[in-house]
Amino acid sequence: MSNIYGLTEEQEMMRDSVREFADGEIAGIASEIDRSEELPLDLCKQMGEMGLMGMTVPEELDGAGLDMVTYCLAIEEVTRASASIGLTMAAHNGLVVAPIQMFGNEAQKKKYLPPLARGEVLGCFCLTEPQAGSDAAGTQTTAVKKGDKWIVNGRKIYITNGGFAKTAVLTAVTAPGQGTNGISSFIADTDHPGFIVGTTEKNKLGMRGSNTVELLFEDLEVPEENLLGGEGEGFKNFMKTLDGGRIGIGAMGVGIGQACLDSSVKYARERKQFGKPIGTFQAIAHKIATMATELEAARLLVLHAARVRDAGKPYTRPASMCKLFASEMSMRASNEAIQIHGGYGFTIDYPVERYFRDAKLLEIGEGTSEIQRHVISRDLLNLG
């Protein structure tokens, strides 16, 4: 069955290995992770030992040296068990490891990638600000050059992994008045004075086991050699970073969608009304058929986007397409899964209510659905 996706033997083996790990080590504690709102750091280290925290990092830098397709397969399996852990993994790989790997110089790669890839430390990507959400160009955090250091001041919000991260990739204005050409990006060590963890978001709608915090920079000193990419290239580079991150979010949508389908099929077979399984009723059967069809379409879109990236071709449009469709598919699937489960689906006795809560973030993070439609349409219309 899996050969219909055109996977190599190595890709299938990695997917199956991650599936076994997710079923054995994550699925059983997913509800507790959600209820406690605590990120199990030991699990992250265990994932690092499996190569899941540096999947595309070359082996000589202690990574797994794998392709984007394999990465997406792994994200799907982890998210199917727990979206909170899937998000932790996706943010670390796609938004921290990836930009250092793509835009860092050799010294930066050798210093920062090995511990990140081994899962010894977590990373966070610091982009969103109170006035810079969908309008990422509205960044107000500043970095001023003083001698051989950059002095950073500002505030970032909704930062995944921010409370535990040891390495941060952040954006700041280095040339005021120059618009997007005045934004640069940096690698910061979070144990330096001036890097302050502010409010931790609690009682979120979903992804409750994922760490989400406010970060404050108060005269944070960043060595000049920690400029990531060229000065003024930050906006361009984090747009490329988000393109890759969107493929990961698409894979997360597939993971949640698969979890919804699995739960719905199981329940429709077991639950009886009017003397027979509810799956025999057309109303329920058609919901499952639609869910399965949209899930398959989303998975193929994600794999296509990953393969385009692996081929070294422009992937902005396929990344946005897969993210848009898979995230909205997961929202529809989770809504229908609750409907299939009826009153039970509205309680914590079944996991579908968690899938519903978790799925919503996928329509927001790494660019909202509205932003994805904007990206896709502008690319098609060739309007820049």
Side-chain angles (χ1 to χ4, degrees):
M1 179 67 175
S2 60
N3 283 334
I4 65 173
Y5 302 118
L7 304 180
T8 66
E9 184 177 349
E10 292 76 13
Q11 289 167 341
E12 287 187 330
M13 288 176 61
M14 186 65 183
R15 179 204 58 200
D16 293 347
S17 175
V18 178
R19 179 178 297 168
E20 182 179 356
F21 170 76
D23 287 341
E25 303 295 332
I26 301 177
I29 60 173
S31 294
E32 177 57 29
I33 291 171
D34 179 71
R35 285 194 292 268
S36 68
E37 301 186 56
E38 295 291 336
L39 177 66
L41 294 177
D42 288 345
L43 185 61
C44 294
K45 292 179 181 178
Q46 193 175 352
M47 291 166 65
E49 293 170 359
M50 290 183 62
L52 299 182
M53 303 306 275
M55 294 197 69
T56 61
V57 175
E59 293 181 7
E60 57 267 27
L61 292 175
D62 294 345
L66 299 170
D67 55 25
M68 193 69 178
V69 168
T70 308
Y71 168 68
C72 287
L73 297 172
I75 286 287
E76 176 187 338
E77 294 300 334
V78 171
T79 303
R80 182 178 57 81
S82 167
S84 291
I85 302 303
L87 181 61
T88 301
M89 175 184 167
H92 177 92
N93 276 277
L95 301 181
V96 184
V97 170
I100 296 175
Q101 191 174 342
M102 288 190 292
F103 312 119
N105 57 41
E106 289 306 309
Q108 291 169 341
K109 292 178 183 179
K110 289 179 180 178
K111 177 179 179 180
Y112 288 104
L113 288 180
L116 287 167
R118 292 192 297 265
E120 294 174 357
V121 300
L122 278 177
C124 65
F125 181 62
C126 310
L127 174 62
T128 303
E129 300 183 6
Q131 303 302 320
S134 292
D135 179 18
T139 298
Q140 296 181 2
T141 295
T142 60
V144 178
K145 187 74 176 294
K146 288 189 177 180
D148 61 352
K149 294 182 175 62
W150 291 91
I151 309 302
V152 181
N153 284 279
R155 177 187 176 207
K156 303 289 185 177
I157 59 173
Y158 305 142
I159 307 304
T160 301
N161 299 341
F164 301 108
K166 298 301 181 185
T167 301
V169 172
L170 63 90
T171 57
V173 176
T174 52
Q178 295 189 24
T180 58
N181 292 325
I183 299 175
S184 302
S185 57
F186 302 87
I187 305 172
D189 297 294
T190 67
D191 58 358
H192 285 190
F195 191 103
I196 301 167
V197 177
T199 303
T200 298
E201 297 292 340
K202 291 291 186 180
N203 299 314
K204 294 177 294 184
L205 173 67
M207 304 287 185
R208 291 186 170 186
S210 168
N211 176 249
T212 309
V213 302
E214 166 196 45
L215 294 176
L216 306 172
F217 309 133
E218 297 182 359
D219 292 331
L220 171 66
E221 294 185 356
V222 177
E224 62 178 349
E225 62 265 24
N226 278 29
L227 177 70
L228 182 59
E231 189 174 338
E233 295 180 355
F235 184 85
K236 176 185 68 176
N237 289 346
F238 69 64
M239 286 293 103
K240 293 179 181 177
T241 298
L242 288 175
D243 282 344
R246 286 164 183 162
I247 301 176
I249 294 295
M252 288 188 65
V254 174
I256 292 177
Q258 185 66 59
C260 290
L261 180 62
D262 292 344
S263 294
S264 296
V265 168
K266 183 175 185 294
Y267 189 80
R269 286 171 172 166
E270 295 174 351
R271 174 67 168 169
K272 291 185 177 180
Q273 291 287 273
F274 308 101
K276 52 186 176 181
I278 63 172
T280 62
F281 297 106
Q282 189 179 75
I284 301 300
H286 282 192
K287 288 181 186 295
I288 290 175
T290 299
M291 193 186 302
T293 301
E294 292 196 348
L295 171 63
E296 195 74 357
R299 180 177 286 119
L300 292 171
L301 276 171
V302 170
L303 290 174
H304 171 68
R307 287 182 173 125
V308 171
R309 177 171 174 171
D310 283 337
K313 298 178 181 178
Y315 56 92
T316 294
R317 192 200 306 175
S320 284
M321 284 179 166
C322 83
K323 193 271 188 188
L324 172 65
F325 187 80
S327 63
E328 295 191 347
M329 174 279 298
S330 70
M331 198 70 234
R332 290 190 294 270
S334 59
N335 182 56
E336 289 288 51
I338 290 177
Q339 195 70 16
I340 289 168
H341 284 70
Y344 289 114
F346 200 68
T347 72
I348 61 172
D349 294 334
Y350 287 82
V352 290
E353 62 86 27
R354 170 163 51 87
Y355 303 155
F356 181 85
R357 291 186 289 104
D358 288 342
K360 186 59 194 176
L361 182 64
L362 304 186
E363 295 183 320
I364 300 171
E366 257 88 317
T368 63
S369 289
E370 292 74 17
I371 289 293
Q372 303 315 312
R373 288 182 169 90
H374 178 72
V375 170
I376 295 164
S377 61
R378 288 184 70 86
D379 186 62
L380 285 165
L381 294 168
N382 195 27
L383 295 176

